[in-house]
Amino acid sequence: MENIFNCNLVELQKIKNRAGNLSVVENSGSMPFDIKRVYYIYDVPGGSDRGGHAHKELEQYVIAVSGAFDIQLDDGKNKKTVRLDRPYLALHIKKGIWRETRNFTSGAICMVIASHKYDYSDYIHDYDNFIKYRKNE
Ligand code: TYD
C-alpha cells in the first residue's frame, strides 16, 4: 500500500521565454502513469475547502496552474499538508490516499491529470470506510 511519504512534489519542465513560461505534462518515460484524463476545478470561493475522498486505483498529478491551495494527504496512519502555489510543481497523489483540498485562493485553478477515466466505483467517500479499507489491504 502506498503511503504519504511516497506522494512527492514533481518539478515539471519549465520552458522560459520573454513572453512567459511554459510547462509540459505528457506521456513519456518520466511520467509515472499513463494519462487518461485531465480536469480542472475553478470558480472555488476564496478560502473554501473541498471534501475529502480516496481512490482505490486512480493516481493523480495535481497542479495549481493559477493561485494556490493546500492538499492534506492521509494514508490512515500519517498526515501531511502540501501547499501548491507554483504552476511548474505537480503533487503526485498515489492510490489509496485520502485527500482534502483546502484554503483555495480566489481565482485558483486546480488541474488534475489522472491515470483513469472517471469511475464512481473507484471512490471511497466515507472516512471510516477508508480506514477499514486501509486496514484490510
Ligand atoms: P470529486 O472528484 O468528488 O471532486 P471534489 O472531491 O474535489 O469535490 O467530483 C465532484 C463531482 O464531479 C462528483 O459529483 C463527480 C463529478 N465528476 C465527474 O462527473 N467527472 C469527473 O471526471 C470528476 C473528477 C468528477
Side-chain angles (χ1 to χ4, degrees), residues 2 5 10 30 37 44 47 50 56 61 63 68 76 87 95 108-109 111 113 121 135:
E2 302 291 354
F5 305 108
V10 178
S30 61
R37 182 166 52 111
V44 180
R50 288 179 70 92
K56 294 174 194 161
Y61 266 16
I63 303 168
K95 62 184 183 179
I109 301 176
M111 184 165 78
I113 295 168
S121 68
K135 286 199 172 129

Side-chain angles (χ1 to χ4, degrees), residues 69-87:
F69 47 84
D70 297 324
I71 299 198
Q72 188 187 60
L73 301 176
D74 178 345
D75 58 21
K77 287 201 178 108
N78 298 292
K79 292 181 189 185
K80 74 172 175 185
T81 300
V82 180
R83 179 81 172 160
L84 283 172
D85 59 2
R86 294 281 183 275

Side-chain angles (χ1 to χ4, degrees), residues 37 39 41 50-51 53 118 123 125:
R37 182 166 52 111
Y39 61 91
I41 299 165
R50 288 179 70 92
H53 64 262
Y118 178 67
Y123 280 70
H125 281 116

Side-chain angles (χ1 to χ4, degrees), residues 11-115:
E11 188 155 351
L12 304 171
Q13 188 188 4
K14 188 204 263 186
I15 300 161
K16 293 186 192 167
N17 180 306
R18 271 194 305 274
N21 299 324
L22 184 156
S23 289
V24 189
V25 183
E26 62 185 349
N27 281 322
S28 67
S30 61
M31 190 68 203
F33 55 83
D34 212 38
I35 300 168
K36 293 280 168 48
R37 182 166 52 111
V38 177
Y39 61 91
Y40 42 97
I41 299 165
Y42 54 96
D43 287 348
V44 180
S48 70
D49 306 334
R50 288 179 70 92
H53 64 262
H55 288 279
K56 294 174 194 161
E57 292 301 329
L58 185 93
E59 291 183 61
Q60 298 169 321
Y61 266 16
V62 181
I63 303 168
V65 290
S66 184
F69 47 84
D70 297 324
I71 299 198
Q72 188 187 60
L73 301 176
D74 178 345
D75 58 21
K77 287 201 178 108
N78 298 292
K79 292 181 189 185
K80 74 172 175 185
T81 300
V82 180
R83 179 81 172 160
L84 283 172
D85 59 2
R86 294 281 183 275
Y88 55 84
L89 292 179
L91 177 64
H92 184 190
I93 306 182
K94 298 199 172 175
K95 62 184 183 179
I97 305 288
W98 185 267
R99 88 289 312 276
E100 296 182 18
T101 313
R102 302 210 171 111
N103 300 323
F104 275 82
T105 59
S106 95
I109 301 176
C110 170
M111 184 165 78
V112 180
I113 295 168
S115 64

